Amino acid sequence: MTPALAGRVTADVVIVGAGSAGCVLAERLSRDPDRQVVLLERGPERWPGRAERDLRRLPIGDDAPYALRHRTNLHGLTAARGNAVGGSSAVNGGYFLRWHREDFASWPQGWDLARIEAAYDELDGPTGTMSVSPVTDDELGDAGEAFEGHWSTRTAVRPLDERWPVVGVNRVLSNRTGPLRRTAAEAYLASALGRPNLRVMTDCTVVGLETAGSSTVTGVRAERVSVSAGEVVLCAGTLGTAHLLLRSGLDLVEGCGHLAASEHRGLAVYYRRRSPASGGMVLPTVLHTQDGFEIRCYRDDFASYITNLPAIGAMVEVTAMQPSPVRLVDGGDRVDLIFDEPAPETAAAMRAHADAVVEMLNSPDFADIVVPGSVTVADVPGFSQHAWGTMPLGECTDRLGGVPGVHGLRIVDGSILPAGGRSGPHATIMMTAVCIGDELAGVR
């Protein structure tokens, strides 16, 4: 790998973003020795080390070297994204749950469940690339144990050796090697770095697409290098890709000045602990409800994981996995997120589930953990750092992420998810990249 140099580079394919999707695509497409692949990453040349990949920390604070924060209109909240080789897989909480099988019912023709399952298996199977394993009983922490004890008498519980989630209690599956996050870069990019037809350029902020008119993309412009290519594949994440699309000059925004995306809004229920929580990963267990909510039992206050974050209290979050609207607008050097209010029926259901969480925290199951009288519900919902769906498959892109009417442009990241899943998107974004990468590389 080399930092970006001044000048112009020519390739068959240029991939923008060495994150969860970009690392998969770079490995798949560079298998053909006759295909010249360039992978551009705005993050530093040094990969996140042990300290940054420790699952007991979230290295996404304001001064974190491997994170980029985007402004929002929600009371000073920002959206953090990985700014590193490995992307957000290098800085997130290590949650790696599949979507439910039914979540793929609306995906376009060609996305059959057998192929989806095979790609998930490559990632999270017993010998999978992402080294996925469930949180063990002794890693749950006292809040996780109480949470599972409370709900296991009221709903189904997914067996620990099962990979597909259930409506009920789902012990979190985590991409990790021991106590460290396993990143997409370790799982896919590392094995391909010696290929002479793959060039990886770090510290390389792409500032725009090169076009020939409004319907052909011919390459990309970065701060210190330009790359001409037969195809540009945007894997910069939903926010990074949106920034490039908004500045592209292509007829994709339809004069409205923003891209429409979706987010998962969440209402926090806080409490004070009687004693400090044991160390461990941030989110060990969740509950999936019949009406599409994920109730997340976090181990501790987020201040225990993020440097310089003020303490608020330990938290259980009620998250609506149905899509809530957010507009992505050009904010200069990155996009800003402008949230609308959740739909009234979503807000009402969120409050009802929050009431159930309050009842749980005040129950005998949590008597040894929660300080009496300390349980409070946030006034307004936050969000999950999961923006997706600006260019959904089957609507704004074809089933392989190609943009109809625009020659030479493909998108493979959270931007193309065509519907909301009932789990977080990380595993599904990587699954999508595996499937698309296989077809583009001619793998059957």
Side-chain angles (χ1 to χ4, degrees):
M1 291 195 308
T2 59
L5 303 174
R8 177 168 291 277
V9 174
T10 300
D12 296 304
V13 178
V14 57
I15 300 169
V16 180
S20 296
C23 288
V24 174
L25 266 292
E27 191 282 324
R28 282 298 202 270
L29 296 183
S30 64
R31 289 181 181 182
D32 180 352
D34 295 326
R35 181 187 284 123
Q36 297 297 316
V37 179
V38 171
L39 175 62
L40 305 180
E41 168 55 45
R42 70 178 296 160
E45 181 178 6
R46 177 183 173 270
W47 294 20
R50 290 185 63 89
E52 292 87 10
R53 292 184 292 115
D54 189 330
L55 282 166
R56 296 170 296 182
R57 305 293 300 167
L58 290 174
I60 58 173
D62 289 339
D63 298 323
Y66 296 112
L68 183 70
R69 303 195 74 93
H70 298 259
R71 296 174 293 269
T72 81
N73 64 331
L74 295 180
H75 310 288
L77 295 178
T78 56
R81 290 296 185 273
N83 184 46
V85 177
S88 292
S89 71
V91 299
N92 62 18
Y95 167 119
F96 207 84
L97 282 179
R98 301 180 180 194
W99 285 6
H100 291 236
R101 288 184 175 91
E102 311 89 82
D103 294 335
F104 298 100
S106 64
W107 281 46
Q109 187 174 3
W111 283 89
D112 63 278
L113 195 58
R115 182 67 191 94
I116 289 169
E117 183 165 25
Y120 272 138
D121 287 345
E122 174 180 321
L123 296 162
D124 69 14
T127 60
T129 54
M130 292 299 288
S131 186
V132 172
S133 62
V135 174
T136 61
D137 289 346
D138 59 0
E139 293 175 309
L140 266 180
D142 55 0
E145 289 180 7
F147 180 88
E148 290 194 351
H150 180 86
W151 290 110
S152 65
T153 62
R154 295 165 170 82
T155 188
V157 178
R158 192 198 81 240
L160 290 186
D161 59 354
E162 174 58 57
R163 288 315 197 230
W164 290 101
V166 300
V167 172
V169 176
N170 291 280
R171 185 76 60 87
V172 164
L173 295 163
S174 181
N175 50 291
R176 56 184 178 162
T177 303
L180 306 180
R181 295 174 190 84
R182 180 163 172 82
T183 73
E186 297 171 285
Y188 285 90
L189 187 59
S191 64
L193 287 178
R195 296 173 184 170
N197 62 320
L198 173 62
R199 183 171 184 179
V200 182
M201 304 177 73
T202 53
D203 192 21
C204 189
T205 301
V206 174
V207 296
L209 303 180
E210 293 187 336
T211 62
S214 61
S215 62
T216 301
V217 175
T218 59
V220 300
R221 298 187 312 279
E223 290 177 345
R224 289 180 288 168
V225 67
S226 294
V227 183
S228 298
E231 183 167 68
V232 174
V233 184
L234 298 183
C235 298
T238 302
L239 302 186
T241 289
H243 190 233
L244 291 173
L245 293 176
L246 287 166
R247 296 187 154 211
S248 68
L250 300 172
D251 188 20
L252 299 173
V253 186
E254 299 180 355
C256 62
H258 71 272
L259 285 170
S262 296
E263 250 287 3
H264 296 142
R265 303 296 299 273
L267 190 63
V269 182
Y270 296 106
Y271 64 95
R272 294 201 313 276
R273 292 183 53 89
R274 289 181 180 271
S275 59
S278 59
M281 63 183 300
V282 60
L283 180 59
T285 186
V286 298
L287 172 72
H288 288 181
T289 70
Q290 187 66 50
D291 59 345
F293 282 77
E294 184 174 69
I295 300 177
R296 303 169 179 170
C297 183
Y298 291 101
R299 180 183 297 269
D300 200 359
D301 193 313
F302 269 83
S304 299
Y305 297 92
I306 303 173
T307 302
N308 297 326
L309 188 72
I312 300 176
M315 180 174 70
V316 178
E317 184 179 60
V318 175
T319 306
M321 304 307 284
Q322 311 95 324
S324 291
V326 56
R327 287 164 285 153
L328 307 183
V329 302
D330 187 354
D333 62 341
R334 62 202 73 181
V335 294
D336 296 341
L337 289 76
I338 309 299
F339 287 89
D340 296 332
E341 291 296 320
E345 58 272 20
T346 300
M350 192 182 298
R351 287 285 173 181
H353 284 299
D355 290 343
V357 169
V358 170
E359 182 179 350
M360 176 192 74
L361 292 172
N362 287 325
S363 74
D365 295 308
F366 279 80
D368 294 334
I369 301 170
V370 176
V371 173
S374 69
V375 179
T376 60
V377 181
D379 293 330
V380 296
F383 64 101
S384 294
Q385 317 278 349
H386 290 168
W388 53 269
T390 54
M391 300 290 292
L393 294 168
E395 181 179 342
C396 296
T397 52
D398 65 27
R399 69 182 188 86
L400 299 179
V403 181
V406 179
H407 178 73
L409 180 64
R410 191 178 304 277
I411 302 171
V412 185
D413 58 24
S415 309
I416 64 173
L417 296 180
R422 283 182 285 175
S423 306
H426 185 204
T428 299
I429 289 169
M430 292 196 70
M431 177 278 294
T432 304
V434 169
C435 289
I436 293 176
D438 277 352
E439 287 215 38
L440 296 180
V443 177
R444 293 292 184 266

